[in-house]
Amino acid sequence: MYDLTVELRPGREKCLYEQIYEYIRQEIREGKLRPGERLPSTRSLAEYLQISRSTASLAYDQLLAEGYIASQPYRGYYVCRMEELYRLDTGEESVAGEVEPGGARVPCVVDFSPTATDMSRFPFSVWRKINKNILSQGGGSLFVQGDAQGEYSLRETISRYLHSSRGVNCTPQQIIVGAGNDYLLLLLEKILGRHVRIAMENPTYKRAYQIFGSFAYEITTVDMDESGMTVSGLRQSDATAAYVMPSHQYPTGVLMPIGRRLELLKWANEAPGRYLIEDDYDSEFRYKGKPIPSLQASDTQGRVIYIGTFSKSIAPAIRVSYMVLPQDLLERYRQQCYFYSATVSRIDQKVLEEFIGEGYFERYLNKMRKCYKEKHDLLLEGLADFEADFRVTGENAGLHLLLTGRRGQTEDELIATALAQGVRVYGLSDSLVGKAEEQPGRTVLLGYGGLGLEDIKNGLALLRQAWL
């Protein structure tokens, strides 16, 4: 609950209670006062605004009568939840959906977002219990500044996990824990230096491209084939670092074979100061064949910078990522970045450490692998009807797959016709860089991680109407 800063003008045509009423109503309509938020009491509001209590009561009574707020006995006044509330003055809607040029809203029934995850099976009770135990046992020491690289015990836990699950060879000293990949990439700029020529796959993860673009880096894109970034293109780029996603390239879903990985490592070893930045963002979810070790696992010369995250495997809001530095870059980090503070609270680090160390993470991952595989198989089965008109790729891992039209439909046409049926799909061209952006695409992404089984069935039925 906060005080309401209402600018009252006694000389205006409208009386004071109307001014208060209109201010609160507008704040609710614009979403600045949110559903369930508690309003100050009439006594508190009157004292704060230097008005009579009866004036405040009249304003609240009008809001109550119109259903903007509700009164709970002995508790106070609260903002009501109003579905599909919109602003009358501009016609801007606050509910989900796309607005057509004519102004009609197209409701989104199914959203095949490639970045969404399923949080319905997350062990909230376990997380709460660990959090409570950490707070009760930790005392004041948890609230002082921690190690800039992250708590040593957590880094030790991550080191063991990475070695057993991804084949990563590292010590806890090589790991830096940070609040998301964005922070780690920003930190990497300080470690590698400002003027670096970096090569990226095309299409690529646009967020990383934008972050690198905000540096003094010169970015060059390298085309891909069925095995990932082409080494011939990388050699021509004259880059000193390459950003790759070998275990599951986003957005194409390409799994880089061992031969191409060794070619990349050979390129990195051919000249001093060359590095491969391996983004291993969702390698936990693989549905065909055995898990593929990381690129870092094959690195014997300290040329791979390994970056991973718990955003996909646990929850996006966890905001805990980690970076494994080769020994020479670790020394550079200690010399040049020693003054940076930790960006993840010690409490969150301790909770995550226990969640992994006590086996809860492994059990949750196994449950989610089974859950996502069920969705993956259902989607693939439903897409059998589309095979005459579409080619399906990227189905072996991750939380999305790709459909490429065979009949000449453009990407924009596929997106528009799907949306007309209430289904949102995403174009591959959103991940393309440079001249490739100008080429008419024919591929869309279908993500299934955040959808239920019935949502997937419903979405497929609507896509049949739209595309077949």
Side-chain angles (χ1 to χ4, degrees), residues 108-318:
C108 178
V109 180
V110 179
D111 187 349
F112 282 100
S113 170
T115 59
T117 56
D118 188 343
M119 293 304 300
S120 64
R121 291 169 172 79
F122 185 76
F124 293 102
S125 59
V126 171
W127 195 267
R128 280 194 296 269
K129 182 183 74 172
I130 296 174
N131 212 318
K132 183 178 179 180
N133 291 341
I134 294 297
L135 287 172
S136 62
Q137 297 171 10
S141 63
L142 289 175
F143 294 88
V144 300
Q145 185 69 35
D147 191 321
Q149 284 188 235
E151 296 298 295
Y152 185 86
S153 54
L154 173 61
R155 289 186 279 134
E156 194 172 31
T157 299
I158 292 175
S159 173
R160 291 198 301 269
Y161 164 70
L162 290 178
H163 184 69
S164 62
S165 64
R166 305 294 301 125
V168 173
N169 298 305
C170 69
T171 64
Q173 289 83 354
Q174 292 175 258
I175 297 175
I176 299 173
V177 175
N181 284 17
D182 295 1
Y183 167 75
L184 294 178
L185 291 179
L186 289 168
L187 190 62
L188 191 58
E189 183 212 12
K190 309 302 179 186
I191 299 170
L192 291 179
R194 297 195 60 190
H195 300 285
V196 172
R197 186 174 176 84
I198 187 166
M200 301 189 74
E201 301 153 318
N202 200 17
T204 190
Y205 179 44
K206 259 302 185 56
R207 188 173 183 86
Y209 175 82
Q210 291 165 343
I211 292 172
F212 286 134
S214 69
F215 304 161
Y217 283 6
E218 185 179 353
I219 304 175
T220 178
T221 57
V222 178
D223 290 336
M224 298 175 59
D225 60 17
E226 67 279 358
S227 298
M229 177 183 281
T230 61
V231 179
S232 59
L234 179 58
R235 293 186 189 282
Q236 294 173 8
S237 71
D238 196 29
T240 54
Y243 174 87
V244 292
M245 295 166 274
S247 295
H248 184 235
Q249 203 274 344
Y250 185 88
T252 64
V254 167
L255 302 177
M256 187 178 289
I258 186 64
R260 180 62 52 83
R261 294 173 184 233
L262 294 177
E263 287 182 77
L264 288 178
L265 287 170
K266 181 182 178 182
W267 168 84
N269 289 324
E270 286 173 352
R274 285 183 178 176
Y275 293 97
L276 297 168
I277 304 169
E278 178 180 12
D279 189 343
D280 203 14
Y281 69 100
D282 74 346
S283 58
E284 291 89 356
F285 305 115
R286 180 168 168 78
Y287 312 111
K288 185 177 180 181
K290 296 180 180 179
I292 299 175
S294 66
L295 176 63
Q296 198 269 4
S298 302
D299 177 27
T300 58
Q301 304 298 317
R303 297 294 185 175
V304 176
I305 302 163
Y306 180 88
I307 297 178
T309 179
F310 293 106
S311 293
K312 286 281 189 181
S313 56
I314 297 182
I318 294 297

Side-chain angles (χ1 to χ4, degrees), residues 72-87:
Q72 298 183 17
Y74 307 107
R75 296 190 63 193
Y77 297 93
Y78 293 82
V79 178
C80 289
R81 182 177 299 279
M82 287 163 284
E83 298 298 331
E84 301 192 10
L85 183 67
Y86 60 92
R87 292 174 55 185

